[in-house]
Amino acid sequence: MTKTKLLIAAAIVSVGFTACNNSPKEAEVLNVYVDSVEKLTPVYTTENWTMIDNGYQERVKKAEAEYAAMDAEGKAKADASKAKYEALKAKYELAIKEQDAKAAALAPNFRKALRDRLFGEGKIGDDMQFSFVTADNLLATYKNFVDVVADNKSTYSREDWDEINVLYEALDTRKNEVEKDLKSGDNMKIAGLKVRFASIASTHRGGTKVKENNEAKQ
């Protein structure tokens, strides 16, 4: 159990102990819980916030069930605790969102990395334009594409293979556009590369799915 979980658990036990000995109204139980959470050192993760929120929902439900029977002081405490909790919730949600955004920004863009390896640095952007592929470099482009796939076939994830398939189909589309200007013999060599790619993809893409399914079951 993490330090944060231990502190929250201690806060819950403390509230329960107070309730058993002094029989406070549910508004007071809620108030003590929210105050305890507010004093914790924040850990801005979804898992941590879910645990905090579960504890709150349990207590606020009991407080709301007795709200009509509460005196003015009890209602004031309940309302104050709810308002304080909403402020805490907004703070945590914003911090978690910002933290996740920073993590996403720092994470490597697998699509860009894959495209750079298959076609060269910066050749293919988000617009998926293949205008750099001409009749003169089409064979070399196919060869590099298939060679890279062959060299890395055992390391690709299913997500990688999905992207590779999209890129391969886009390259084929570009081939149809420049095919009439191909050098003599290039078309046959490209056909051989296409057969090689199809063999690699049919063998390793299916194996990737089986591997991921087996890992998910464990």
Side-chain angles (χ1 to χ4, degrees):
M1 185 179 289
T2 65
K3 182 178 180 181
T4 301
K5 289 182 178 179
L6 286 170
L7 290 171
I8 293 175
I12 294 172
V13 171
S14 174
V15 172
F17 183 77
T18 304
C20 292
N21 287 275
N22 300 321
S23 300
K25 295 177 180 178
E26 294 299 335
E28 182 64 26
V29 175
L30 182 65
N31 180 263
V32 171
Y33 180 79
V34 174
D35 283 347
S36 297
V37 171
E38 189 178 39
K39 292 174 183 177
L40 292 174
T41 300
V43 176
Y44 297 123
T45 65
T46 300
E47 178 186 10
N48 186 55
W49 176 250
T50 298
M51 183 170 58
I52 290 172
D53 189 57
N54 287 342
Y56 172 78
Q57 296 302 331
E58 179 183 343
R59 285 156 183 78
V60 76
K61 184 177 181 180
K62 292 178 180 179
E64 288 176 345
E66 297 184 359
Y67 191 82
M70 291 179 186
D71 57 20
E73 182 181 358
K75 289 180 179 179
K77 284 186 176 181
D79 292 341
S81 295
K82 289 180 182 179
K84 185 183 293 185
Y85 184 79
E86 288 303 314
L88 276 171
K89 180 180 179 181
K91 178 183 176 182
Y92 268 79
E93 288 181 344
L94 178 60
I96 291 171
K97 183 177 180 181
E98 291 177 344
Q99 188 168 277
D100 289 347
K102 288 180 181 178
L106 293 174
N109 185 327
F110 90 93
R111 286 189 175 85
K112 182 181 185 306
L114 193 57
R115 292 172 183 182
D116 286 347
R117 293 192 192 101
L118 293 169
F119 296 104
E121 183 75 29
K123 294 288 188 180
I124 302 295
D126 292 336
D127 56 4
M128 290 286 286
Q129 291 296 314
F130 278 71
S131 57
F132 75 95
V133 179
T134 66
D136 291 333
N137 65 18
L138 183 64
L139 175 58
T141 302
Y142 265 99
K143 187 176 186 309
N144 183 74
F145 186 100
V146 176
D147 284 348
V148 171
V149 170
D151 289 342
N152 298 278
K153 58 184 180 294
S154 299
T155 65
Y156 290 140
S157 66
R158 181 168 54 182
E159 193 173 27
D160 290 331
W161 279 112
D162 288 343
E163 178 68 9
I164 288 169
N165 188 56
V166 169
L167 294 168
Y168 183 72
E169 290 179 354
L171 180 58
D172 273 352
T173 297
R174 181 58 177 170
K175 173 183 177 294
N176 294 335
E177 295 171 354
V178 302
E179 192 169 12
K180 64 182 184 298
D181 298 319
L182 278 177
K183 297 175 183 178
S184 177
D186 281 7
N187 217 339
M188 186 173 293
K189 292 176 182 178
I190 290 172
L193 289 168
K194 288 170 67 66
V195 170
R196 183 185 176 203
F197 172 78
S199 176
I200 295 170
S202 64
T203 302
H204 288 81
R205 186 176 183 181
T208 298
K209 290 182 179 179
V210 171
K211 179 181 177 182
E212 291 180 352
N213 289 337
N214 287 337
E215 288 176 348
K217 292 177 182 178
Q218 294 177 359

